[in-house]
Amino acid sequence: MGTGRAGRVPHPQGQAERIDRLLAGHRAGTVWPGVVLADDQVIGQVTISGILPQAHLRRGSLGYWIGSVAQNQGHARRAVELALRVMTDELGLHRAEASTNLENLPSQRVLRRNGFSPYGVAHSTILLDGHWCDSLLWERILAD
């Protein structure tokens, strides 16, 4: 899962199936799903997916979104910060990966503020509004 799809709140149809898939991934140890709350309201999601806990890999991909009514209030920065803590302390991972659309500067700021560095461009990786878009790839080495 890529990161930083700010404002793209999933449509209510199919949410039960999506949640079931996330929970199945959690049971299998490949996904850590979380919700972002503000004033006891769900305003977004943070997910660690593609978890590879093997000693020679120990990495996961971070994805998140914040609903448009709650953007620009620090929620994404804090959600990513907490997810990184989970990746290090609970999952024992060594490397965090993420991706953003090239134009998604707010999400790129969130990742930079949480210690991520860009390391490349993946071409034609996500289909948005009928067009294949490139993604900027991000990485952060976590504390051992």
Side-chain angles (χ1 to χ4, degrees):
M1 171 183 272
T3 82
R5 294 180 315 220
R8 291 180 175 262
V9 178
H11 192 273
Q13 285 183 315
Q15 288 304 300
E17 293 86 4
R18 189 178 67 80
I19 291 169
D20 286 344
R21 283 192 307 272
L22 287 169
L23 293 176
H26 186 257
R27 286 189 296 275
T30 59
V31 175
W32 184 93
V35 295
V36 180
L37 300 172
D39 298 323
D40 294 324
Q41 297 292 313
V42 175
I43 60 163
Q45 180 179 336
V46 62
T47 305
I48 303 162
S49 62
I51 297 171
L52 299 173
Q54 297 87 349
H56 64 288
L57 296 171
R58 293 184 18 227
R59 69 176 177 243
S61 295
L62 182 64
Y64 60 91
W65 59 263
I66 301 294
S68 57
V69 299
Q71 291 177 6
N72 301 314
Q73 299 173 29
H75 299 298
R77 181 198 52 77
R78 182 74 174 133
V80 169
E81 178 183 312
L82 292 172
L84 289 169
R85 192 174 306 158
V86 167
M87 293 176 92
T88 303
D89 298 345
E90 293 181 30
L91 301 176
L93 301 180
H94 171 73
R95 177 183 172 85
E97 300 173 346
S99 66
T100 63
N101 295 335
L102 293 178
E103 300 82 22
N104 192 339
L105 299 179
S107 190
Q108 293 171 23
R109 279 191 296 276
V110 166
L111 293 173
R112 263 191 216 286
R113 289 177 180 156
N114 275 284
F116 281 82
S117 299
Y119 71 93
V121 174
H123 299 285
S124 199
T125 58
I126 187 167
L127 185 63
L128 294 175
D129 300 324
H131 302 284
W132 286 100
C133 299
D134 297 345
S135 294
L136 185 58
L137 304 176
W138 296 82
E139 65 184 353
R140 177 176 166 181
I141 304 304
L142 304 168
D144 285 320

